[in-house]
């Protein structure tokens, strides 16, 4: 009756957002008087998997088929379903990210399970199995009760702080008999996004809008991002004008980010933009127009010209870091 959680890795390294998912599954398991079994697919060292015990997993089911180092949604689904059946699981957790979005709905269909995507809370078991999620581009919340016997939850990354506990998970090898269709999609090439910090996993994001005036001014924004160790993002018109690559575009029609800090520079704060960033823990807005709508969504605001403020902010952060070495 374990709670199952899909743990992703990149080249054998398990990243922080997965620890949050394991911890989330552990909290649910505790409420249910159950345990957590993490499912790891592809080549990962035992020590890396054992460390999932520090986030509350008792066991890891490891499907060590190297074809799973790449995302094959059907094969991932088969592996997760096999693990859920082996553990007689009633609750399956994934992240609400690219892999989770490709796998969790397939798992839910296979297991005839109800699914909540973009979960923002633990299930309230006193009211049934009620989970909070954002709807209408983050303008409202819905409280969804999953009524089916088996339940699938896709946790929105960066919803809960991650803390360690004492523990070491036991790693067990799991054989899965894959069918031809499981690997029916062939990955011909992988174009890795180059850039200091990948946007999807970033804790800090510096984002620019049309107020940056043109691509030639992005150097000062990148200097700030570099000093902070932040990823860079942009508004849609900026990507449409090819000032920045499309994978940096955030908002309703772009990526969704939920960093601890989102610095918006020269972005007006249209609802379509906010839809992709309003889950950020702290929002700082730099805009020369004090009436810019983004200020209403901001925790901190600076009214002024980005061309003057960005270099000064970068210099101040540099100085701060030197004093606190
Ligand atoms: C269906 C639909 C989907 C959309 N999806 C998205 C989406 O996913 N993401 C997205 O971003 N947009 C999206 N949009 C577009 C959105 O409505 C806005 O038009 C867009 O976000 C505006 O981008 P911006 O803030 O960069 O530009 P602008 O609205 O032109 O704002 C520029 C801002 O920069 C400020 N500024 C100017 N000069 C300076 C300076 N020197 N220093 C400081 N500040 C300065 C101005 O005061 C202004 O507030 C969508 C629109 C539609 C209709």
């Amino acid at each position: 009756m374990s709670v199952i959680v899909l743990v992703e890795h990149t080249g054998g390294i398990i990243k922080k957002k997965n620890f949050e998912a394991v911890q989330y599954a552990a909290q649910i398991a505790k409420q249910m008087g159950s345990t957590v079994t993490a499912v790891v697919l592809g080549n990962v060292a035992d020590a890396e998997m054992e460390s999932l015990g520090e986030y509350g997993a008792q066991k890891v089911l490891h499907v060590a088929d190297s074809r799973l180092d790449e995302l094959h949604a059907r094969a991932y689904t088969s592996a997760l379903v096999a693990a859920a059946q082996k553990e007689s699981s009633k609750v399956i957790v994934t992240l609400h990210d690219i892999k989770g979005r490709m796998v969790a709905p397939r798992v839910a269909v296979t297991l005839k399970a109800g699914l909540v995507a973009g979960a923002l809370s633990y299930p309230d078991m006193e009211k049934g199995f009620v989970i909070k999620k954002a709807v209408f581009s983050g303008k409202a919340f819905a409280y969804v009760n999953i009524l089916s016997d088996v339940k699938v939850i896709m946790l929105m990354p960066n919803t809960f702080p991650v803390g360690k506990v004492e523990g070491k998970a036991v790693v067990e090898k799991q054989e899965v008999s894959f069918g031809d269709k499981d690997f029916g999609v062939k990955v011909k090439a992988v174009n890795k996004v180059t850039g200091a910090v990948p946007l999807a996993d970033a804790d800090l994001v510096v984002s620019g809008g049309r107020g940056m005036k043109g691509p030639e001014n992005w150097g000062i924004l990148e200097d700030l991002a570099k000093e902070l160790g932040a990823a860079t993002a942009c508004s849609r018109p900026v990507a449409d004008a090819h000032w920045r690559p499309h994978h940096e575009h955030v908002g309703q029609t772009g990526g969704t980010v939920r960093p601890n800090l989102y610095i918006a520079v020269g972005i007006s704060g249209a609802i379509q933009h906010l839809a992709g960033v309003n889950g950020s823990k702290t929002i700082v807005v730099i805009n020369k127009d004090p009436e810019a709508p983004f200020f209403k969504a901001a925790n901190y605001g600076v009214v002024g010209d980005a061309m003057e403020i960005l270099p000064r902010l970068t210099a101040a952060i540099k100085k701060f870091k030197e004093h606190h070495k």
Side-chain angles (χ1 to χ4, degrees):
M1 280 280 282
S2 272
V3 174
I4 290 277
V5 55
L6 174 65
V7 169
E8 305 166 15
H9 64 94
T10 312
I13 307 293
I14 298 171
K15 292 193 181 159
K16 189 182 131 198
K17 60 180 181 177
N18 293 281
F19 303 149
E20 187 185 353
V22 173
Q23 188 182 275
Y24 179 77
Q27 188 61 33
I28 295 174
K30 199 170 148 193
Q31 280 191 66
M32 297 173 73
S34 169
T35 55
V36 172
T37 299
V39 177
V40 177
L41 310 173
N43 285 307
V44 182
D46 277 1
E48 187 80 1
M49 292 187 280
E50 284 164 3
S51 71
L52 294 173
E54 293 169 5
Y55 304 95
Q58 282 78 19
K59 187 159 106 181
V60 176
L61 285 179
H62 182 208
V63 188
D65 185 322
S66 53
R67 291 175 295 177
L68 298 170
D69 285 341
E70 274 163 1
L71 171 61
H72 290 275
R74 285 185 169 182
Y76 273 45
T77 304
S78 299
L80 214 53
V81 167
Q85 283 166 344
K86 181 180 158 124
E87 300 290 310
S88 312
S89 301
K90 299 291 180 203
V91 179
I92 296 138
V93 175
T94 72
L95 285 164
H96 187 98
D97 64 0
I98 291 172
K99 286 185 183 167
R101 275 187 283 184
M102 289 187 73
V103 176
R106 289 180 157 95
V107 171
V109 168
T110 312
L111 296 176
K112 297 191 168 40
L115 173 145
V116 169
L120 293 174
S121 76
Y122 292 108
D124 184 341
M125 294 186 201
E126 280 178 13
K127 293 185 178 145
F129 203 90
V130 177
I131 299 176
K132 179 182 174 185
K133 62 170 285 179
V135 288
F136 300 121
S137 301
K139 287 194 283 295
F141 294 113
Y143 293 83
V144 183
N145 193 6
I146 310 185
L147 300 172
S148 52
D149 185 34
V150 180
K151 299 158 174 70
V152 177
I153 309 172
M154 298 162 69
L155 171 67
M156 198 59 114
N158 210 12
T159 298
F160 298 102
V162 180
K164 280 191 185 180
V165 292
E166 287 276 310
K168 193 172 170 186
V170 176
V171 178
E172 214 178 86
K173 299 289 167 202
Q174 157 114 3
E175 294 298 325
V176 179
S177 45
F178 293 110
D180 286 347
K181 280 189 176 165
D182 283 329
F183 295 97
V185 176
K186 296 272 174 262
V187 180
K188 286 191 159 175
V190 177
N191 288 333
K192 289 227 164 92
V193 170
T194 51
V197 184
L199 183 56
D201 301 328
D203 266 344
L204 311 171
V205 175
V206 182
S207 188
R210 220 154 27 183
M212 288 297 294
K213 304 283 193 264
E216 65 281 5
N217 294 323
W218 238 263
I220 51 172
L221 193 145
E222 284 174 319
D223 287 347
L224 175 63
K226 201 170 158 202
E227 208 51 57
L228 288 169
T232 49
C234 67
S235 66
R236 178 173 160 170
V238 162
D240 285 347
H242 304 292
W243 295 359
R244 297 298 292 174
H246 260 293
H247 64 76
E248 285 198 0
H249 150 207
V250 289
Q252 189 179 314
T253 46
T256 301
V257 291
R258 293 169 60 77
N260 290 328
L261 176 65
Y262 184 79
I263 304 182
V265 188
I267 304 176
S268 57
I271 46 168
Q272 296 88 355
H273 184 84
L274 291 178
V277 307
N278 57 11
S280 307
K281 295 274 184 299
T282 301
I283 296 179
V284 176
V285 168
I286 302 172
N287 197 304
K288 71 173 187 186
D289 175 9
E291 301 299 324
F294 220 147
F295 283 120
K296 290 201 180 79
N299 301 90
Y300 301 94
V302 182
V303 178
D305 186 344
M307 307 305 151
E308 280 173 31
I309 289 162
L310 281 178
R312 283 169 61 186
L313 187 55
T314 306
I317 289 165
K318 208 177 234 167
K319 204 167 156 191
F320 178 86
K321 279 165 70 181
E322 273 160 18
H323 281 302
H324 292 81
K325 257 184 191 163

